[in-house]
Amino acid sequence: MFRSSFRTTALVAVAAVGVVASPSVAQARQAEAASAAGRSVVAGLGHFVYDEPNTVGHRIWFGVYAVTAADGTTHGQFLYRHEQTDGTLAAQGRADVTCLKVTGNVALFTAIVPEGQGSAKNHGFYVKIIDGGRGPDRIVDAQATNGTERPPTHCVDPETDLPPGSPSRPRYPILVGGYTVHAAEQSRAGAEVPQAERRDRP
């Protein structure tokens, strides 16, 4: 059920995806504010290029804004765009984020394409983002599609949690754009504080 990339006929364009050079300052501030309020957050839009059989040179954009609250509930949206080497659109659309886990600078999230969108049935994205700070971010993804049942909605690490026999997933550097990852942390006094603020303390 899991696979690494789209086939041209697997999905059709179902939503417009805006492509920007980097996450906005406002978006980064929203992520920091949410983290300070006791929520884990991943936000941004990044471009990378596949280097795998049948998709070498395919250009991918993934955009996400997702929040997990202190009570464990998650909400958010995921946008995707896939272009072939000649610029032909292979797939484009949106999915609902169903799970987000943030540990330090690493975010794992799952996004499920709403039923009835596009031609692919039961399509899920399982994404790992490593926030590189001042360096480039990195991304790992796996996808599930066309199964007889709805794909898993819990968080799946595409490097360690795929079913036995699944091909290993590469880490791709983000070439344009990037992501902000914030993990909510509990202070000694019981108030939630952002990860970055905690690192600055003695």
Side-chain angles (χ1 to χ4, degrees):
M1 181 169 76
F2 283 90
R3 62 194 182 88
S4 61
S5 61
F6 300 107
R7 290 187 186 133
T8 303
T9 57
L11 293 174
V12 295
V14 292
V17 177
V19 177
V20 297
S22 63
S24 70
V25 172
Q27 192 175 49
R29 286 178 181 161
Q30 286 174 352
E32 291 174 359
S35 177
R39 293 173 279 178
S40 294
V41 186
V42 59
L45 189 147
H47 163 57
F48 60 103
V49 178
Y50 275 142
D51 185 19
E52 301 168 61
N54 302 318
T55 58
V56 174
H58 287 210
R59 299 188 291 274
I60 310 298
W61 286 264
F62 282 169
V64 63
Y65 183 85
V67 176
T68 292
D71 65 2
T73 58
T74 297
H75 68 274
Q77 289 289 307
F78 174 73
L79 304 176
Y80 59 90
R81 182 179 175 90
H82 178 160
E83 293 180 0
Q84 299 179 65
T85 53
D86 63 358
T88 302
L89 183 66
Q92 177 174 284
R94 71 169 183 86
D96 298 320
V97 177
T98 58
C99 175
L100 169 66
K101 290 184 179 178
V102 177
T103 305
N105 67 329
V106 178
L108 293 176
F109 68 87
T110 294
I112 306 298
V113 177
E115 205 166 336
Q117 272 201 16
S119 59
K121 184 179 180 182
N122 295 326
H123 198 100
F125 294 86
Y126 304 87
V127 182
K128 182 178 193 174
I129 291 174
I130 301 100
D131 186 341
R134 294 178 182 268
D137 298 338
R138 289 169 292 164
I139 194 166
V140 187
D141 79 298
Q143 296 173 44
T145 191
N146 292 328
T148 57
E149 298 179 357
R150 204 77 173 130
T153 58
H154 62 274
C155 286
V156 172
D157 187 328
E159 291 187 296
T160 61
D161 296 339
L162 297 186
S166 299
S168 61
R169 303 297 308 127
R171 288 186 177 188
Y172 288 107
I174 297 301
L175 305 175
V176 177
Y179 301 91
T180 299
V181 173
H182 283 283
E185 281 202 8
Q186 190 80 19
S187 74
R188 292 179 193 171
E192 301 284 354
V193 297
Q195 176 82 10
E197 183 180 330
R198 182 179 170 85
R199 280 198 297 261
D200 291 339
R201 294 179 178 175

